[in-house]
Amino acid sequence: MWIYMKQIILLKVQMRKEQDMLESQRATALNWNEAEIVGKVAKINLHHHFCGTIDFDELRVCTNRSSGKSDYIQVLISHDLLPLGLAEGDKVWMKGKLRCYPYAYKKRVHTEQEEFSKNFLFFSCKEIEIVFFFFFFLNIMNLQGALYKKENLRITTDGKEIIDFILSVKRKTGKYDYIPCTAWGKNAKIINRIDKWTNIDLNGKLQNKSKYIYNFRNGMEQETKLCKVAVRLLIKVGDNKNKYFR
C-alpha cells in the first residue's frame, strides 16, 4: 500500500516538474520583439526625454508602402547613439523593439474605441546607420506574445474580413507592451476563432492609423500619428500550429 502511494506521489511530483518546465519555457518565449526599418528621416529632435541619467531624442522616420502611401514612425533613440551629422532627408537603417506607452496623448482627433486607441507605439532604436546606397524601404516587425483583447470581426465594403486586436508582449524586465494590431482575410478569421491568452507568433509592418495630439510635460503640444501593426503572416497560433491553419 505504501509503495503504491509512494509511486503516485513521485508521479505527481514528476508531472508537476514537467508542467513548471513548460510554463517557464512559455514565459521566456514571450520576449520575441524585433523590429527593423529602412526609411528617410522626416523630422529630427522633436523632443528630448530623460530617463534617469539617459537622454533620449525623438525622431520621425518615413517609410513607403508598396501602394505608394507613406507611414511616419515615431522613433525613440538614445542621444549617444545618434550618428554625427544626421539631418532631415538622410536615409537610415534602424533595428530595435516596439514599445508601448499608454496615456501618452491629451485628446483624440478622430474618435475610436478607447481600448484600441490609448496605446502610443514607439520604435525604440538600439542600432542605427546612415545608408548611402538606398534602393528600397524596409518595415519588418516580428512579435511573439499572447492575445489580450480583440474586436468583433468586420466585413469591408469590398468583402474583406478585418479584425483589430491587442497583442501582449512580455519584456525581459517582466513588464508588458500592449501592441495594437490589425489582421485581414484568412488571418482575421483565425484571430476571431482563438481565445484570450492564446500564444501568437506573427510578422507584420508598422502603419499609421489615426492622428493624435501628443501632450508634452512642458505644455507643448504636437500633432502626430499613432501606429498599429498590420499582420502579414501568422507564423504560429497556440501550442499546435496546425490546429488553426486548416
Side-chain angles (χ1 to χ4, degrees), residues 7-54:
Q7 290 178 349
I8 293 178
I9 293 172
L10 290 175
L11 181 61
K12 287 184 177 181
V13 170
Q14 182 65 25
M15 292 176 63
R16 181 62 183 175
K17 286 182 179 180
E18 292 179 358
Q19 185 178 358
D20 291 342
M21 186 180 297
L22 289 174
E23 289 179 357
S24 64
Q25 290 176 355
R26 179 175 297 178
T28 54
L30 298 182
N31 292 326
W32 186 25
N33 183 345
E34 299 175 354
E36 188 176 358
I37 58 174
V38 173
K40 293 182 180 180
V41 178
K43 283 196 175 182
I44 192 170
N45 294 332
L46 291 175
H47 189 68
H48 292 283
H49 302 265
F50 295 94
C51 181
T53 58
I54 303 176

Side-chain angles (χ1 to χ4, degrees), residues 44-71:
I44 192 170
N45 294 332
L46 291 175
H47 189 68
H48 292 283
H49 302 265
F50 295 94
C51 181
T53 58
I54 303 176
D55 184 12
F56 289 93
D57 287 320
E58 187 178 335
L59 314 177
R60 185 177 297 163
V61 176
C62 173
T63 62
N64 287 351
R65 307 183 194 178
S66 56
S67 62
K69 294 183 179 180
S70 298
D71 292 301

Side-chain angles (χ1 to χ4, degrees), residues 58-213:
E58 187 178 335
L59 314 177
R60 185 177 297 163
V61 176
C62 173
T63 62
N64 287 351
R65 307 183 194 178
S66 56
S67 62
K69 294 183 179 180
S70 298
D71 292 301
Y72 293 88
I73 300 172
Q74 302 295 116
V75 178
L76 202 62
I77 182 173
S78 172
H79 185 74
D80 296 335
L81 288 178
L82 277 178
L84 292 175
L86 183 67
E88 296 181 6
D90 287 347
K91 292 85 173 177
V92 291
W93 167 86
M94 291 182 173
K95 187 175 182 180
K97 298 178 182 296
L98 286 184
R99 288 290 181 249
C100 171
Y101 297 91
Y103 309 109
Y105 62 91
K106 182 176 181 181
K107 61 182 178 179
R108 290 191 298 273
V109 177
H110 300 290
T111 58
E112 288 186 337
Q113 292 191 12
E114 180 71 17
E115 291 295 333
F116 289 87
S117 60
K118 69 181 183 181
N119 295 325
F120 194 91
L121 279 185
F122 270 101
F123 182 96
S124 179
C125 182
K126 304 300 181 184
E127 300 178 42
I128 180 172
E129 291 182 9
I130 298 177
V131 181
F132 297 100
F133 299 98
F134 184 76
F135 300 103
F136 58 90
F137 290 92
L138 192 65
N139 188 345
I140 300 176
M141 308 292 145
N142 294 313
L143 300 172
Q144 184 180 48
L147 178 63
Y148 176 70
K149 189 169 288 190
K150 62 180 177 179
E151 285 187 340
N152 294 326
L153 185 70
R154 310 188 305 276
I155 306 296
T156 61
T157 54
D158 55 354
K160 293 183 179 179
E161 298 85 358
I162 180 175
I163 191 170
D164 294 322
F165 64 98
I166 293 179
L167 190 70
S168 172
V169 179
K170 187 177 181 180
R171 302 185 189 180
K172 292 181 179 179
T173 59
K175 296 182 179 180
Y176 289 85
D177 290 300
Y178 297 94
I179 299 176
C181 306
T182 299
W184 297 77
K186 184 179 179 181
N187 292 333
K189 294 179 181 179
I190 294 172
I191 296 296
N192 188 49
R193 294 204 304 265
I194 64 179
D195 299 322
K196 186 177 181 179
W197 302 122
T198 302
N199 290 349
I200 300 174
D201 300 3
L202 63 85
N203 172 274
K205 52 188 176 181
L206 206 56
Q207 292 183 348
N208 296 136
K209 66 175 184 177
S210 57
K211 294 182 180 180
Y212 279 64
I213 298 295

